[in-house]
Every structure is written in structure tokens, then in C-alpha cells.
């Protein structure tokens, strides 16, 4: 049985130390095999924010897996944004923007959906390219049964009703079709600071909110998720910050039937 903690949108520069400590206390009880961080590590991609994030990552007593988000690109330094967009990420976090982690029980594939610019008004919107779709699908398809197949991307592949004014990742339909055929089990994302799960084309979509920044939405407190299980059955536990600690808000149960995941 694999136990993965999914945290997101830490937004260093806007982090709340009390909530960060609460997360660490909770993780000490869970003792996850892996911590997945789905982007927006910093608030404004500043050096001091990356330095604080680096200390957090270095002190994290669990293996971690991380992809960048749109906030990890500079919004103010245009030269940096267009000519060396990932230089700080690669200096302070990891040289690899799209990591792959392969263990005896699961594979995690990371995809970088943040873009310096796009052919749309909202540059915070993400995109997954045809080359990225093909790479993920080929990588996942080659994995032997019965390993769990996870994909991590910052931007959403599905949005709940309260967030429909946002955009899903560009090329979502093409991507989800390819991922379903390749056998992706679960896509972990962040970006909109809401925690939710959904089944899309038989694939589990699971979002964590902002885990310990003060950029929370009114009805969505700080949150993270704990994913337990294997390729037959999974439980996703929603953890929410309330008063002075993270509490279990809800457990959701999923089962894989005829290559499709269902909520049970
Ligand atoms: Fe964010
Ligand atoms: Fe974001």
C-alpha cells in the first residue's frame, strides 16, 4: 500500500508559519512514502522566496516530487520571463522541470504546464503540448502492471462549478483522451486553490488547495490530500486547516473497474 501526501501552491513569500508547522505535525503522523508538490512554490519567483522554499524542501524528512507553476515564473522581470524563465527554479529547486519517479509500486510523471506567454489573454493559464502528451502517454504505457500511474501538473484538467470562470489546461481534451488510453490512473494538480476530486474519462482528477499560504479563497481553507492504495482501490483523504491544525474533512473511495476509475 502506497501513501502519498499531495500538497500544492505553497507560495513562499505568502507562507503562514503556523500552518506550515501544522502540516509537518500532520505528516509526521501519516509518514508518507512521498510528498508531491504541484507547483506555485513561490509567490513572485523572487530569490528570497526560492531561498525560503529551498530550506523547506531540504528539511522535509520525506522524498518529494515537484513541478513548477505559473507563479514560479517572474511576472515583473520581462527579460528573465522570456529569456531564462526557469533559471531560478533550476538553481534553487531542481534542474529537472519534468521529473519521473519510478518505484516498485508506482510511477509518477511530472509535466510542466506553465508558460511564459500564450495566445490567450490570461498568461497564468497553462498548456500541455502535443510533444508533452505523447511523452507522458508513451512513458506511462510502458509501465508494467500493477503499478499505480500518477501524473502531476500544476494546471487543472477539470474545474468545479465555482471555478468555471477559470480555464482548464490548453489541449485538455486531447491530453485526457491519450492519458486514458495509456492507463494514467490519477492526475494531481493545484493552481485554483480549491480541493476536489472528479472522474474524467475514467481518470481520477485530484486537486489540493493552497496548503500553507495566506492566498486562500473565502470558502476554501488551507488544505492537502493523502492518497492511499494501489491500482485497484484508492482512498483520498481531504485534510483542511481549522483553527490550529489540519483535520480530516472527508475520505473519498475509488475503485478501478474495467480500466476505469469509479467513485464508490
Ligand atoms: Fe497558486
Ligand atoms: Fe497557479
Amino acid at each position: 500500500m502506497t501513501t502519498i501526501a499531495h500538497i500544492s501552491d505553497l507560495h513562499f513569500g505568502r507562507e503562514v508559519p503556523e500552518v506550515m508547522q501544522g502540516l509537518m505535525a500532520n505528516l509526521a503522523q501519516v509518514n508518507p512514502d512521498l510528498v508531491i508538490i504541484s507547483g506555485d512554490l513561490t509567490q513572485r519567483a523572487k530569490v528570497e522566496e526560492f531561498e525560503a522554499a529551498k530550506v523547506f524542501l531540504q528539511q522535509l524528512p520525506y522524498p518529494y516530487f515537484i513541478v513548477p507553476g505559473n507563479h514560479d515564473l517572474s511576472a515583473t522581470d520581462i527579460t528573465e520571463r522570456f529569456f531564462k524563465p526557469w533559471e531560478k527554479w533550476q538553481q534553487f529547486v531542481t534542474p529537472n522541470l519534468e521529473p519521473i519517479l519510478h518505484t516498485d509500486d508506482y510511477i509518477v510523471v511530472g509535466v510542466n504546464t506553465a508558460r511564459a506567454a500564450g495566445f490567450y489573454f490570461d498568461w497564468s493559464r497553462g498548456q500541455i503540448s502535443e510533444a508533452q502528451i505523447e511523452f507522458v502517454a508513451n512513458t506511462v504505457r510502458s509501465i508494467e502492471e500493477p503499478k499505480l500511474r500518477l501524473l502531476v501538473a500544476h494546471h487543472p484538467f477539470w474545474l468545479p462549478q465555482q471555478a468555471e470562470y477559470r480555464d482548464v489546461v490548453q489541449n485538455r481534451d486531447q491530453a485526457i483522451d491519450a492519458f486514458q488510453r495509456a492507463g494514467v490512473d490519477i492526475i494531481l494538480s493545484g493552481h485554483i486553490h480549491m480541493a476536489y476530486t472528479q472522474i474524467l474519462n475514467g481518470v481520477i482528477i485530484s486537486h489540493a488547495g493552497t496548503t500553507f499560504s495566506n492566498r486562500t479563497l473565502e470558502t476554501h481553507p488551507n488544505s492537502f490530500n493523502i492518497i492511499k492504495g494501489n491500482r485497484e482501490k484508492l482512498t483520498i483523504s481531504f485534510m483542511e486547516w481549522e483553527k490550529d491544525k489540519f483535520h480530516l474533512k472527508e475520505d473519498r473511495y475509488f475503485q478501478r473497474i474495467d480500466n476505469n476509475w469509479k467513485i464508490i
Side-chain angles (χ1 to χ4, degrees):
M1 169 106 78
T2 300
T3 301
I4 292 171
H6 173 204
I7 67 177
S8 196
D9 294 77
L10 307 181
H11 286 284
F12 273 91
R14 296 278 295 269
E15 76 276 24
V16 182
E18 183 195 2
V19 185
M20 196 196 314
Q21 285 157 18
L23 171 73
M24 298 315 294
N26 206 288
L27 290 183
Q29 294 171 6
V30 174
N31 195 24
D33 302 304
L34 179 70
V35 175
I36 289 178
I37 309 165
S38 52
D40 280 1
L41 180 64
T42 65
Q43 173 61 14
R44 296 241 168 257
K46 292 180 179 168
V47 166
E48 58 268 32
E49 294 170 356
F50 274 114
E51 283 173 344
K54 186 177 177 179
V55 170
F56 169 78
L57 294 172
Q58 283 176 334
Q59 292 179 351
L60 200 60
Y62 317 99
Y64 64 87
F65 183 99
I66 188 165
V67 297
N70 53 299
H71 275 257
D72 302 312
L73 286 165
S74 178
T76 51
D77 185 335
I78 296 304
T79 309
E80 177 182 315
R81 186 175 179 102
F82 290 103
F83 294 103
K84 41 182 183 175
W86 300 112
E87 189 178 65
K88 286 190 198 130
W89 183 273
Q90 292 180 309
Q91 179 187 347
F92 288 101
V93 184
T94 166
N96 191 352
L97 295 161
E98 300 194 313
I100 295 176
L101 175 65
H102 201 162
T103 76
D104 290 343
D105 299 318
Y106 58 86
I107 183 170
V108 194
V109 182
V111 66
N112 176 16
T113 53
R115 298 288 183 271
F119 293 108
Y120 31 78
F121 177 70
D122 178 8
W123 283 1
S124 73
R125 187 182 178 186
Q127 185 200 72
I128 184 162
S129 68
E130 282 189 25
Q132 287 175 308
I133 294 170
E134 196 179 325
F135 178 77
V136 171
N138 287 340
T139 305
V140 169
R141 198 181 294 118
S142 67
I143 296 306
E144 61 272 35
E145 294 284 350
K147 292 183 186 181
L148 189 66
R149 303 157 187 210
L150 304 102
L151 174 65
V152 184
H154 178 62
H155 289 87
F157 283 73
W158 182 85
L159 290 165
Q161 207 176 10
Q162 310 122 284
E164 276 177 349
Y165 64 97
R166 310 291 298 265
D167 286 306
V168 294
V169 68
Q170 198 186 22
N171 297 335
R172 187 278 306 267
D173 291 350
Q174 188 189 341
I176 197 75
D177 184 48
F179 297 162
Q180 190 269 336
R181 281 186 277 115
V184 170
D185 293 307
I186 180 165
I187 303 177
L188 304 178
S189 306
H191 185 57
I192 56 167
H193 299 195
M194 293 181 190
Y196 56 85
T197 56
Q198 174 71 15
I199 306 284
L200 184 64
N201 286 29
V203 179
I204 303 170
I205 307 291
S206 186
H207 276 242
T210 174
T211 300
F212 54 63
S213 85
N214 63 8
R215 298 194 70 227
T216 48
L217 302 170
E218 202 174 337
T219 52
H220 296 267
N222 291 116
S223 62
F224 72 100
N225 301 335
I226 300 162
I227 300 155
K228 279 189 188 173
N230 52 39
R231 207 164 187 230
E232 291 174 7
K233 276 185 179 177
L234 283 175
T235 304
I236 300 181
S237 303
F238 289 93
M239 307 298 295
E240 257 190 22
W241 184 257
E242 194 188 322
K243 286 186 188 153
D244 58 357
K245 62 170 87 159
F246 279 102
H247 297 261
L248 174 64
K249 189 194 174 199
E250 188 190 343
D251 283 329
R252 287 249 176 117
Y253 302 95
F254 300 85
Q255 191 169 6
R256 190 163 159 265
I257 304 166
D258 297 333
N259 298 327
N260 286 300
W261 284 92
K262 304 225 180 325
I263 297 177
I264 53 171

